[in-house]
C-alpha cells in the first residue's frame, strides 16, 4: 500500500508541481484521507522520495542476501548486491527517470534523499562490519559504494539511452581503478 501511495503522490506532484502541492492536497488528489496519508508518510517529501525506491529491500538487505564467493572482494560483492536495483531501474526507466528528475529539481526532496541515503550507508557499513574486521574500512567501503551508486544515477539521468546496470558497472569499475591511479 505504501509503495502505491508513494507512486500516486509522485504522479500527482509531477502534474501540479512540487511547490504547488501540500501534503493535504496530495492526499486529496490521490483519493485518500489526510490521516491515511500521514499513517504511511511523515511528510510530502517522505512520500515523494519513497516513490523513487525501486526495490522493496534496503541496500543492506540486498548485501546480506548475496553470498560472498570464495576469494571475492567486498567491492565485487557489493556490485552483485546492487543487481536487483539495476534490474528494477532498467525494467521501468521512463517512470524512474521522471521521478529522479523531480527529486533533483526540488531542494527539499534532494535533502530528504540525502538523509535517507546517509541512514542506508550507515546500515550498510554495519553489515559490512560483520564481514570486514576493521570497522573503519567497512565505513570506507560503504561510503565508496554510496558514491558509486550516486555516480551511476547521475550518468544514467544525463543519457536517456543509457542502461542503469551499465552505468553502475562503469561507476564501480571507475572507482576501483581510480584508487590505484598514481598521481603525476
Amino acid at each position: 500500500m505504501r509503495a502505491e501511495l508513494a507512486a500516486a503522490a509522485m504522479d500527482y506532484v509531477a502534474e501540479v508541481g512540487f511547490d504547488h502541492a501540500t501534503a493535504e492536497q496530495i492526499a486529496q488528489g490521490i483519493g485518500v484521507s489526510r490521516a491515511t496519508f500521514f499513517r504511511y508518510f511523515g511528510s510530502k517529501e517522505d512520500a515523494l522520495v519513497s516513490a523513487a525506491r525501486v526495490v522493496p529491500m534496503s541496500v543492506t538487505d540486498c548485501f546480506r542476501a548475496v553470498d560472498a564467493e570464495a576469494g571475492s572482494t567486498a567491492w565485487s560483492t557489493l556490485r552483485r548486491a546492487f543487481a536487483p536495483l539495476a534490474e528494477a531501474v532498467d525494467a521501468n526507466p521512463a517512470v524512474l527517470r521522471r521521478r529522479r528528475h523531480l527529486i533533483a529539481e526540488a531542494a527539499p526532496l534532494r535533502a530528504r534523499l540525502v538523509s535517507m541515503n546517509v541512514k542506508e550507508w550507515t546500515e550498510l557499513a554495519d553489515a559490512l562490519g560483520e564481514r570486514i574486521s576493521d570497522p573503519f574500512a567497512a565505513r570506507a567501503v560503504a561510503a565508496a559504494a554510496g558514491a558509486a551508486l550516486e555516480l551511476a544515477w547521475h550518468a544514467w539521468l544525463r543519457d536517456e539511452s543509457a542502461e542503469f546496470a551499465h552505468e553502475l558497472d562503469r561507476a564501480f569499475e571507475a572507482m576501483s581503478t581510480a584508487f590505484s591511479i598514481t598521481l603525476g
Side-chain angles (χ1 to χ4, degrees), residues 41-181:
F41 307 106
S43 65
K44 77 176 185 178
E45 292 82 6
D46 183 31
L48 298 174
V49 172
S50 293
R53 273 192 99 73
V54 294
V55 291
M57 296 176 16
S58 71
V59 169
T60 302
D61 291 338
C62 289
F63 172 71
R64 284 192 169 118
V66 172
D67 289 328
E69 296 171 357
S72 67
T73 65
W75 196 242
S76 65
T77 302
L78 280 167
R79 174 54 191 96
R80 285 195 323 277
F82 288 167
L85 168 67
E87 291 166 7
V89 172
D90 288 336
N92 202 359
V95 169
L96 293 170
R97 273 197 174 90
R98 188 178 80 242
R99 290 175 182 177
R100 292 295 292 209
H101 279 299
L102 182 63
I103 290 170
E105 293 168 0
L109 295 179
R110 287 191 313 269
R112 179 68 181 124
L113 182 61
V114 167
S115 174
M116 287 174 67
N117 287 346
V118 166
K119 182 178 183 285
E120 286 241 35
W121 304 129
T122 301
E123 291 172 358
L124 180 60
D126 292 343
L128 280 161
E130 296 167 7
R131 298 187 191 182
I132 298 174
S133 60
D134 180 354
F136 191 79
R139 289 193 300 275
V141 172
L149 188 57
E150 282 304 307
L151 181 62
W153 278 119
H154 289 286
W156 180 75
L157 285 171
R158 281 193 308 272
D159 182 356
E160 293 289 320
S161 66
E163 291 184 357
F164 187 76
H166 174 72
E167 297 304 329
L168 191 57
D169 286 338
R170 284 182 56 209
F172 266 74
E173 181 60 33
M175 291 191 72
S176 179
T177 303
F179 290 128
S180 60
I181 292 174

Side-chain angles (χ1 to χ4, degrees), residues 16-51:
V16 302
F18 177 79
D19 292 329
H20 303 293
T22 65
E24 290 79 7
Q25 290 167 329
I26 294 169
Q28 183 179 14
I30 64 174
V32 298
S33 69
R34 181 182 187 283
T36 297
F37 182 86
F38 284 109
R39 182 177 314 125
Y40 290 96
F41 307 106
S43 65
K44 77 176 185 178
E45 292 82 6
D46 183 31
L48 298 174
V49 172
S50 293

